[in-house]
Amino acid sequence: RNPTPPPAEDHGHIIIISSSSKRASATMTFLGYIVGGCLGTGLHMFANGISKVPLSRKPWLHVGYFFIGGWVGHKMPTWERKMVEDHNELRALHGKPPLVGTNALFGFKRYV
């Protein structure tokens, strides 16, 4: 039995499913922000460790790198989605079939 597909927008050769839940998107964004923030703080602590200085030197940079890393982690899914869309446009120009991402990560789905 084939379920009825949710409403979708057709952008050339790819189909973007518009029924993704806002809660899942917010969770992914929050998780990306936290992971990116921890990586930013870890990067600063690693740099301090390599330099053989105390890990807690310049603690305001820990906070700064946390927010910068969090912003990057927050924006990364958007950049990945745009990359796949641009890649599919290039593939369409060359007459190749589009790439189809997983439903969980990019939200692209192909109904045959």
Side-chain angles (χ1 to χ4, degrees):
R1 176 170 132 203
N2 212 356
T4 306
E9 300 173 25
D10 189 4
H11 293 281
H13 292 285
I14 59 173
I15 296 176
I16 300 174
I17 304 300
S18 61
S19 68
S20 61
S21 69
K22 291 184 180 182
R23 183 176 180 195
S25 176
T27 302
M28 181 62 183
T29 303
F30 179 73
L31 182 63
Y33 192 87
I34 294 299
V35 169
C38 290
L39 287 175
T41 301
L43 174 72
H44 185 250
M45 293 177 75
F46 179 73
N48 282 352
I50 293 262
S51 302
K52 303 285 185 184
V53 296
L55 294 181
S56 61
R57 183 175 168 208
K58 297 183 182 178
W60 57 89
L61 286 179
H62 291 354
V63 176
Y65 282 126
F66 183 87
F67 285 119
I68 291 170
W71 180 80
V72 169
H74 171 73
K75 289 293 184 180
M76 188 63 74
T78 306
W79 295 336
E80 288 176 346
R81 178 182 294 268
K82 176 136 178 50
M83 179 190 63
V84 169
E85 290 173 356
D86 291 344
H87 193 80
N88 281 340
E89 287 178 16
L90 289 175
R91 289 178 64 88
L93 288 175
H94 293 281
K96 295 180 181 178
L99 295 175
V100 180
T102 64
N103 293 334
L105 186 58
F106 294 117
F108 297 137
K109 191 167 186 178
R110 175 189 250 167
Y111 288 99
V112 180

